Amino acid sequence: MKVVPTIAELRKELAKARNTAFVPTMGNLHEGHLSLVRRARELAGPKGPVVTSIFVNRLQFAPHEDFDTYPRTFERDCELLRSAGCDIVFAPNEAELYPEPQGYKVQPPSELADILEGHFRPGFFTGVCTVVLKLFNCVQPASAVFGKKDYQQLMVIRRMVAQLALPLHIEAGETTRADDGLALSSRNGYLSEAERAEAVQLSRALADVKRALHNGERDIAALEKRAMNTLSVRGWKPDYVVVRRQVDLQPPQGGEPLVVLAAAKLGTTRLIDNVEV
């Protein structure tokens, strides 16, 4: 496995590559990331290289968010990536990826990017799309793997790839969970021991909504309110628990596949999760 810090060196390494599979990350890796890398290994086949990027992208952090304190565990990340079948770690610094202020940015459509996460984190998906498009241009992969845990992000990236006619396939990786059901996240490390024990209630709230839908309940607003209240009385500060259409994250109209999405703060840590119905 090679660690490559510059775009020029990356392009040299990939000049003759075919069927490159790519997994973009911000580092501080866990089993969820590694499952995406292993899926990329399958997509690339025996000869195609697997590239994983590690870059904490300033553009997607608001001024009050945790850019400066976001965990950076580069040496450990490289050990994990080597064991998961990664061939190249692309690890640019800010000066390499943003040699001048990034005046050109990708503005995703508001109906998808300004709801849910985009509502509570204005500009987030502009930062995500801008860095992902830039990374795609650096790596030029045949496929890229994104986790369903960041469901809205997956939808935004898929739409960008389709509308800009980018020549690559976006593969969705299933959410990896701890034994108790908590979705793995780099930010789980911020939780205290007591908060970690409580954190599973987020996935349980989603499961309750999914169960109610399967049992025929159709008052979506009541289900959402009940889930929000359940979290609130346990000390959470929920931003949203919503039922949306999988295809575009708009409110249900009847009969289409659904997804339940949630974001809530436990202590000082904000967690997100979702479950498809």
Side-chain angles (χ1 to χ4, degrees), residues 62-133:
H64 66 281
E65 293 182 331
D66 58 342
F67 174 80
D68 291 327
T69 59
Y70 193 85
R72 291 158 170 85
T73 55
F74 185 73
E75 291 185 4
R76 174 180 173 274
D77 292 344
C78 287
E79 292 176 4
L80 293 172
L81 289 172
R82 185 178 291 108
S83 67
C86 180
D87 298 304
I88 296 174
V89 177
F90 179 43
N93 60 24
E94 279 198 285
E96 178 67 21
L97 208 57
Y98 299 130
E100 59 184 63
Q102 189 68 31
Y104 289 86
K105 297 180 181 179
V106 179
Q107 181 65 53
S110 61
E111 68 270 15
L112 180 59
D114 292 345
I115 61 173
L116 306 177
E117 286 302 284
H119 174 76
F120 287 95
R121 303 180 69 186
F124 172 70
F125 287 115
T126 295
V128 168
C129 287
T130 301
V131 74
V132 168
L133 180 60

Side-chain angles (χ1 to χ4, degrees), residues 15-34:
K16 298 182 180 179
R18 296 292 182 272
N19 208 36
T20 301
F22 177 46
V23 181
T25 81
M26 293 205 303
N28 192 29
L29 305 183
H30 51 68
E31 179 58 31
H33 295 108
L34 300 182

